[in-house]
Amino acid sequence: AQSVTQPDIHITVSEGASLELRCNYSYGATPYLFWYVQSPGQGLQLLLKYFSGDTLVQGIKGFEAEFKRSQSSFNLRKPSVHWSDAAEYFCAGGGSGTYKYIFGTGTRLKVLA
Amino acid sequence: DTAVSQTPKYLVTQMGNDKSIKCEQNLGHDTMYWYKQDSKKFLKIMFSYNNKELIINETVPNRFSPKSPDKAHLNLHINSLELGDSAVYFCASSQASGIVETQYFGPGTRLLVL
């Protein structure tokens, strides 16, 4: 069955530290993969997406993600976290020929001053 | 200009009532969606419409009925509200049909059933 898994429910980092949020997927073919961010009380904002091509994708707000087929992963990274990055982060995937996203359960990021 | 808008933003109501949530997108997209986000932040798709036609209908109680008067609008009507319906409901839209495209989300409607 198709699935998207975010193994970490909570992550806490200090401001200025690097960040990596994990996302694993299970799809028969190469999936379309997305990272969204949800700030408290807000809707979801797209950070970046992977459809095909270069496996390292750049997004907004200094985020990047790397698609690794061998590990079935699409981890989100940021070299230096800012306090305003504190939010809930969702990985989502979709298969070719379907409208449907499957969302991971989210990772809540806390940033310490 | 708000790309995907929802009204109301907050909705507090009693059990057994009927309520509607409205969604509008001005992106010219063909496809619209309703998602439910529960108290644990889990997001699950409920419905999707493409050019006013229902294309996704997940396992949702039939108390929930979507209506798409035109491709820019997708409303959600809920009959006989129950406590378990309390959640945040997100509307989203995307451009193309038949393939996975980027979805753009509205700000959400926070529904509390007392």
Side-chain angles (χ1 to χ4, degrees):
Chain A
Q2 297 171 341
S3 67
V4 173
T5 305
Q6 293 179 248
D8 304 305
I9 299 174
H10 297 280
I11 291 239
T12 301
V13 299
S14 297
E15 192 169 20
S18 64
L19 172 69
E20 182 168 30
L21 302 181
R22 296 185 291 164
C23 173
N24 295 103
Y25 66 88
S26 173
Y27 277 85
T30 299
Y32 299 86
L33 295 164
F34 307 83
W35 274 100
Y36 283 84
V37 61
Q38 184 181 22
S39 298
Q42 303 296 314
L44 282 80
Q45 181 183 22
L46 179 70
L47 287 175
L48 48 79
K49 61 188 178 186
Y50 173 77
F51 282 4
S52 65
D54 194 347
T55 56
L56 184 64
V57 293
Q58 302 296 322
I60 62 170
K61 303 186 180 189
F63 285 94
E64 66 177 27
E66 187 170 12
F67 173 71
K68 291 186 177 179
R69 185 190 303 277
S70 60
Q71 298 176 19
S72 297
S73 69
F74 186 57
N75 294 348
L76 183 71
R77 301 194 294 245
K78 186 169 185 178
S80 177
V81 168
H82 188 262
W83 65 266
S84 60
D85 293 324
E88 191 92 22
Y89 290 80
F90 291 94
C91 183
S96 178
T98 173
Y99 296 90
K100 235 166 75 163
Y101 278 17
I102 296 174
F103 277 90
T105 48
T107 298
R108 179 165 293 181
L109 174 65
K110 184 176 178 180
V111 180
L112 301 176
Chain B
D1 278 349
T2 303
V4 182
S5 59
Q6 295 179 229
T7 54
K9 192 167 183 180
Y10 299 95
L11 188 51
V12 181
T13 188
Q14 300 286 332
M15 264 197 320
N17 284 351
D18 302 338
K19 290 293 178 186
S20 291
I21 307 171
K22 296 188 176 182
C23 178
E24 177 181 2
Q25 54 95 3
N26 62 8
L27 298 168
H29 287 168
D30 295 321
T31 308
M32 296 183 72
Y33 311 79
W34 278 111
Y35 286 85
K36 180 180 181 181
Q37 185 177 46
D38 63 23
S39 58
K40 294 186 178 176
K41 300 288 188 180
F42 184 63
L43 269 159
K44 192 164 188 316
I45 191 165
M46 301 171 70
F47 301 103
S48 178
Y49 271 72
N50 178 254
N51 278 322
K52 302 196 293 174
E53 280 193 44
L54 183 66
I55 54 171
I56 294 175
N57 185 354
E58 293 293 288
T59 308
V60 175
N62 56 16
R63 298 181 294 104
F64 290 78
S65 53
K67 282 191 172 56
S68 182
D70 55 61
K71 74 173 193 177
H73 296 84
L74 181 61
N75 303 326
L76 183 65
H77 187 74
I78 315 171
N79 288 327
S80 303
L81 278 154
E82 299 178 358
L83 294 177
D85 297 332
S86 296
V88 182
Y89 292 84
F90 286 102
C91 177
S93 72
S94 66
Q95 175 64 44
S97 58
I99 60 172
V100 175
E101 279 286 350
T102 302
Q103 293 182 19
Y104 296 86
F105 284 78
T109 294
R110 283 142 188 87
L111 172 64
L112 178 61
V113 182
L114 303 174

